[in-house]
Amino acid sequence: MKLTLIRHGEMCGDPFICPERPVQGCLTEESGIPQAEAAAQALKDVHFDHAFSSPYGRALQTAEIIMTGRETDIEVLHFLHEWMPSPELASLPSTVYEQIQQQAEDVYAEESWKTDMGEGHFEMSARIIPPFLKELDRLGIHSRMGGFVPEEHARNLSIAVFAHGGSLGTLLNFLLGVRAFPISGFRFELTGVATIDFKERKGIYYPQLRISSIHAIQ
């Protein structure tokens, strides 16, 4: 059983667009597409039984490039979208927006659980984690006692998740039991990959981050 978390390549255009498929124009020609192609080459020998993606174009286009030639369909999970700014910010004068942004950045991390900039840490966790566990449950991987109990058919499943630095960091923090904090302990580079294996102990499978040798994903 394995989870592979993959961040998108360098984006261009509207960061919030949820495009029709096949996706075009959401990754830059100069860097984003080559990054995704390099990731596809690095992951070509990794089998994926399921592939989940954020609805945002930069993640979905990355997923399409990496999954090209595979029989596995890409399932769009709308809750995997990135951190959401407050809708009220769009109607504010730029000077007021910049002032709010400066105030949010000028506090200690411990004081930034929730700011006027938008979605807070716990809000983002509540949006992403419960429905992700529900998706795993649908596949036969059940969250139990700090780990997971897979059904027989799910013990060898390999799942790819294509999303964003913040949403992937939120997932990784939860899966590895890292304490809740406004600043994630993990930073995904563009097309960065984190692989989570599971170690069985008395019928419970516990997530473990696998650190691989450096490859040519930049």
Side-chain angles (χ1 to χ4, degrees):
M1 196 163 63
K2 179 169 63 179
L3 288 174
T4 304
L5 310 184
I6 306 160
R7 190 187 177 196
H8 60 80
E10 183 179 77
M11 64 159 287
C12 66
D14 182 355
F16 302 111
I17 190 171
C18 298
E20 297 293 328
R21 298 180 57 190
V23 182
Q24 294 182 337
C26 292
L27 297 178
T28 62
E29 294 283 344
E30 301 78 14
S31 298
I33 291 177
Q35 287 166 345
E37 291 173 341
Q41 179 64 23
L43 296 170
K44 64 182 177 63
D45 294 327
V46 180
H47 172 74
F48 295 123
D49 298 289
H50 299 274
F52 298 140
S53 176
S54 158
Y56 287 172
R58 58 195 189 271
L60 193 49
Q61 187 173 6
T62 301
E64 288 183 345
I65 291 172
I66 292 176
M67 299 301 292
T68 294
R70 300 173 185 255
E71 296 181 356
T72 305
D73 292 331
I74 300 169
E75 300 178 63
V76 175
L77 302 182
H78 291 275
F79 61 82
L80 279 177
H81 65 74
E82 185 58 306
W83 172 83
M84 287 295 294
S86 171
E88 298 176 359
L89 297 179
S91 61
L92 295 177
S94 60
T95 54
V96 177
Y97 173 86
E98 290 169 3
Q99 182 180 13
I100 293 175
Q101 187 177 39
Q102 182 60 44
Q103 289 173 346
E105 294 176 351
D106 198 31
V107 298
Y108 290 107
E110 287 84 354
E111 299 170 329
S112 66
W113 292 99
K114 174 66 177 176
T115 72
D116 292 336
M117 286 298 296
E119 195 173 32
H121 173 78
F122 286 124
E123 291 171 314
M124 192 169 180
S125 297
R127 167 169 60 80
I128 293 173
I129 294 168
F132 185 76
L133 293 179
K134 187 174 181 179
E135 288 297 323
L136 294 183
D137 193 73
R138 176 177 65 86
L139 298 179
I141 302 171
H142 311 295
S143 179
R144 298 288 187 273
M145 296 181 285
F148 293 86
V149 177
E151 297 175 22
E152 183 67 31
H153 72 273
R155 289 182 181 175
N156 293 311
L157 285 182
S158 176
I159 303 167
V161 181
F162 299 90
H164 314 274
S167 50
L168 291 176
T170 297
L171 267 181
L172 196 54
N173 272 13
F174 169 76
L175 290 168
L176 298 182
V178 178
R179 68 178 179 127
F181 197 64
I183 297 176
S184 174
F186 304 100
R187 183 169 67 90
F188 281 78
E189 299 289 348
L190 293 173
T191 58
V193 177
T195 304
I196 300 174
D197 295 320
F198 292 79
K199 183 175 179 60
E200 187 269 340
R201 190 180 182 95
K202 291 189 176 295
I204 309 295
Y205 288 70
Y206 297 98
Q208 293 187 325
L209 179 64
R210 173 155 54 88
I211 301 173
S212 304
S213 58
I214 297 174
H215 49 65
I217 298 179
Q218 298 296 331

Short mmCIF file of all heavy atoms in Angstrom, two decimals, residues 19-47:
data_model
loop_
_atom_site.label_atom_id
_atom_site.label_comp_id
_atom_site.label_asym_id
_atom_site.label_seq_id
_atom_site.Cartn_x
_atom_site.Cartn_y
_atom_site.Cartn_z
N PRO A 19 -10.53 23.94 -15.25
CA PRO A 19 -10.77 23.84 -16.70
C PRO A 19 -11.40 22.52 -17.12
O PRO A 19 -11.43 21.54 -16.38
CB PRO A 19 -9.35 23.95 -17.27
CG PRO A 19 -8.49 23.32 -16.22
CD PRO A 19 -9.13 23.69 -14.90
N GLU A 20 -11.90 22.55 -18.35
CA GLU A 20 -12.34 21.32 -19.00
C GLU A 20 -11.10 20.50 -19.38
O GLU A 20 -10.00 21.05 -19.52
CB GLU A 20 -13.16 21.63 -20.25
CG GLU A 20 -14.45 22.39 -19.98
CD GLU A 20 -15.47 21.57 -19.22
OE1 GLU A 20 -15.49 20.33 -19.41
OE2 GLU A 20 -16.24 22.15 -18.42
N ARG A 21 -11.28 19.22 -19.56
CA ARG A 21 -10.18 18.35 -19.94
C ARG A 21 -10.28 17.99 -21.42
O ARG A 21 -11.39 17.90 -21.95
CB ARG A 21 -10.20 17.09 -19.08
CG ARG A 21 -10.00 17.39 -17.59
CD ARG A 21 -10.02 16.14 -16.76
NE ARG A 21 -8.98 15.21 -17.22
CZ ARG A 21 -8.88 13.95 -16.79
NH1 ARG A 21 -9.76 13.48 -15.93
NH2 ARG A 21 -7.92 13.17 -17.23
N PRO A 22 -9.16 17.80 -22.11
CA PRO A 22 -7.78 17.89 -21.60
C PRO A 22 -7.39 19.34 -21.32
O PRO A 22 -7.85 20.26 -21.99
CB PRO A 22 -6.95 17.28 -22.74
CG PRO A 22 -7.76 17.55 -23.96
CD PRO A 22 -9.19 17.41 -23.54
N VAL A 23 -6.53 19.51 -20.33
CA VAL A 23 -6.17 20.84 -19.85
C VAL A 23 -5.03 21.41 -20.68
O VAL A 23 -4.05 20.72 -20.98
CB VAL A 23 -5.75 20.78 -18.37
CG1 VAL A 23 -5.43 22.18 -17.86
CG2 VAL A 23 -6.86 20.16 -17.53
N GLN A 24 -5.15 22.68 -21.01
CA GLN A 24 -4.08 23.39 -21.71
C GLN A 24 -3.92 24.78 -21.10
O GLN A 24 -4.88 25.37 -20.60
CB GLN A 24 -4.40 23.52 -23.20
CG GLN A 24 -4.43 22.21 -23.95
CD GLN A 24 -4.70 22.40 -25.44
OE1 GLN A 24 -5.27 23.39 -25.85
NE2 GLN A 24 -4.26 21.44 -26.24
N GLY A 25 -2.69 25.28 -21.13
CA GLY A 25 -2.43 26.66 -20.74
C GLY A 25 -2.38 26.95 -19.26
O GLY A 25 -2.35 28.11 -18.87
N CYS A 26 -2.34 25.93 -18.41
CA CYS A 26 -2.28 26.16 -16.96
C CYS A 26 -0.87 25.97 -16.40
O CYS A 26 -0.62 26.32 -15.25
CB CYS A 26 -3.26 25.25 -16.24
SG CYS A 26 -4.99 25.65 -16.55
N LEU A 27 0.04 25.41 -17.21
CA LEU A 27 1.45 25.31 -16.86
C LEU A 27 2.24 26.14 -17.87
O LEU A 27 1.88 26.22 -19.05
CB LEU A 27 1.93 23.86 -16.91
CG LEU A 27 1.31 22.87 -15.93
CD1 LEU A 27 1.87 21.47 -16.17
CD2 LEU A 27 1.52 23.28 -14.49
N THR A 28 3.34 26.73 -17.42
CA THR A 28 4.16 27.51 -18.34
C THR A 28 4.86 26.60 -19.33
O THR A 28 5.28 25.49 -18.99
CB THR A 28 5.21 28.35 -17.59
OG1 THR A 28 6.10 27.46 -16.89
CG2 THR A 28 4.56 29.29 -16.58
N GLU A 29 5.00 27.09 -20.57
CA GLU A 29 5.69 26.32 -21.60
C GLU A 29 7.17 26.18 -21.27
O GLU A 29 7.79 25.15 -21.54
CB GLU A 29 5.54 27.02 -22.95
CG GLU A 29 4.10 27.05 -23.49
CD GLU A 29 3.67 25.72 -24.06
OE1 GLU A 29 4.55 24.88 -24.32
OE2 GLU A 29 2.45 25.52 -24.24
N GLU A 30 7.76 27.25 -20.65
CA GLU A 30 9.20 27.27 -20.41
C GLU A 30 9.62 26.32 -19.31
O GLU A 30 10.66 25.65 -19.41
CB GLU A 30 9.65 28.69 -20.05
CG GLU A 30 9.34 29.75 -21.11
CD GLU A 30 7.89 30.21 -21.10
OE1 GLU A 30 7.17 29.90 -20.12
OE2 GLU A 30 7.47 30.85 -22.08
N SER A 31 8.83 26.24 -18.23
CA SER A 31 9.26 25.44 -17.07
C SER A 31 8.22 24.43 -16.63
O SER A 31 8.54 23.28 -16.32
CB SER A 31 9.59 26.37 -15.90
OG SER A 31 10.67 27.23 -16.20
N GLY A 32 6.95 24.84 -16.56
CA GLY A 32 5.92 23.98 -16.00
C GLY A 32 5.75 22.66 -16.72
O GLY A 32 5.73 21.59 -16.10
N ILE A 33 5.61 22.73 -18.05
CA ILE A 33 5.44 21.50 -18.82
C ILE A 33 6.70 20.62 -18.77
O ILE A 33 6.59 19.41 -18.54
CB ILE A 33 5.03 21.83 -20.27
CG1 ILE A 33 3.60 22.39 -20.27
CG2 ILE A 33 5.11 20.59 -21.16
CD1 ILE A 33 3.09 22.84 -21.62
N PRO A 34 7.91 21.19 -18.96
CA PRO A 34 9.11 20.35 -18.80
C PRO A 34 9.24 19.72 -17.42
O PRO A 34 9.70 18.58 -17.29
CB PRO A 34 10.27 21.31 -19.08
CG PRO A 34 9.68 22.35 -19.98
CD PRO A 34 8.27 22.52 -19.50
N GLN A 35 8.82 20.45 -16.37
CA GLN A 35 8.87 19.87 -15.02
C GLN A 35 7.95 18.65 -14.93
O GLN A 35 8.32 17.61 -14.38
CB GLN A 35 8.45 20.92 -14.00
CG GLN A 35 9.48 22.00 -13.75
CD GLN A 35 8.91 23.19 -13.00
OE1 GLN A 35 7.69 23.35 -12.89
NE2 GLN A 35 9.80 24.03 -12.47
N ALA A 36 6.73 18.80 -15.46
CA ALA A 36 5.78 17.68 -15.42
C ALA A 36 6.28 16.51 -16.25
O ALA A 36 6.12 15.34 -15.86
CB ALA A 36 4.40 18.15 -15.90
N GLU A 37 6.90 16.80 -17.39
CA GLU A 37 7.44 15.73 -18.23
C GLU A 37 8.60 15.02 -17.55
O GLU A 37 8.75 13.79 -17.66
CB GLU A 37 7.87 16.31 -19.58
CG GLU A 37 6.69 16.76 -20.44
CD GLU A 37 7.12 17.49 -21.71
OE1 GLU A 37 8.27 17.96 -21.75
OE2 GLU A 37 6.30 17.60 -22.63
N ALA A 38 9.42 15.79 -16.82
CA ALA A 38 10.52 15.17 -16.06
C ALA A 38 9.98 14.29 -14.95
O ALA A 38 10.51 13.20 -14.68
CB ALA A 38 11.45 16.25 -15.49
N ALA A 39 8.91 14.75 -14.30
CA ALA A 39 8.29 13.94 -13.25
C ALA A 39 7.70 12.66 -13.84
O ALA A 39 7.79 11.58 -13.25
CB ALA A 39 7.21 14.75 -12.54
N ALA A 40 7.09 12.78 -15.02
CA ALA A 40 6.53 11.60 -15.69
C ALA A 40 7.62 10.57 -15.98
O ALA A 40 7.43 9.36 -15.79
CB ALA A 40 5.84 12.02 -16.98
N GLN A 41 8.77 11.05 -16.42
CA GLN A 41 9.89 10.15 -16.70
C GLN A 41 10.39 9.50 -15.42
O GLN A 41 10.68 8.29 -15.39
CB GLN A 41 11.02 10.93 -17.39
CG GLN A 41 12.25 10.10 -17.72
CD GLN A 41 11.98 9.00 -18.73
OE1 GLN A 41 11.03 9.08 -19.51
NE2 GLN A 41 12.81 7.97 -18.71
N ALA A 42 10.49 10.29 -14.35
CA ALA A 42 10.99 9.75 -13.08
C ALA A 42 10.03 8.73 -12.47
O ALA A 42 10.46 7.81 -11.77
CB ALA A 42 11.23 10.89 -12.09
N LEU A 43 8.73 8.88 -12.76
CA LEU A 43 7.72 8.01 -12.15
C LEU A 43 7.21 6.94 -13.13
O LEU A 43 6.24 6.25 -12.82
CB LEU A 43 6.54 8.85 -11.67
CG LEU A 43 6.84 9.84 -10.54
CD1 LEU A 43 5.66 10.78 -10.33
CD2 LEU A 43 7.17 9.12 -9.24
N LYS A 44 7.86 6.80 -14.28
CA LYS A 44 7.33 5.92 -15.33
C LYS A 44 7.23 4.47 -14.90
O LYS A 44 6.38 3.72 -15.41
CB LYS A 44 8.18 6.04 -16.60
CG LYS A 44 9.62 5.58 -16.47
CD LYS A 44 10.38 5.79 -17.78
CE LYS A 44 11.85 5.42 -17.66
NZ LYS A 44 12.06 4.00 -17.37
N ASP A 45 8.06 4.06 -13.96
CA ASP A 45 8.03 2.66 -13.52
C ASP A 45 7.18 2.46 -12.26
O ASP A 45 7.13 1.35 -11.72
CB ASP A 45 9.45 2.16 -13.27
CG ASP A 45 10.28 2.11 -14.54
OD1 ASP A 45 9.71 1.84 -15.61
OD2 ASP A 45 11.50 2.38 -14.46
N VAL A 46 6.54 3.54 -11.79
CA VAL A 46 5.69 3.43 -10.60
C VAL A 46 4.25 3.20 -11.05
O VAL A 46 3.67 4.01 -11.78
CB VAL A 46 5.77 4.71 -9.76
CG1 VAL A 46 4.87 4.58 -8.52
CG2 VAL A 46 7.21 5.00 -9.35
N HIS A 47 3.67 2.09 -10.64
CA HIS A 47 2.29 1.77 -10.99
C HIS A 47 1.33 2.50 -10.07
O HIS A 47 1.56 2.57 -8.86
CB HIS A 47 2.06 0.26 -10.89
CG HIS A 47 0.63 -0.12 -11.04
ND1 HIS A 47 -0.03 -0.11 -12.26
CD2 HIS A 47 -0.30 -0.50 -10.11
CE1 HIS A 47 -1.28 -0.48 -12.09
NE2 HIS A 47 -1.48 -0.72 -10.80
#
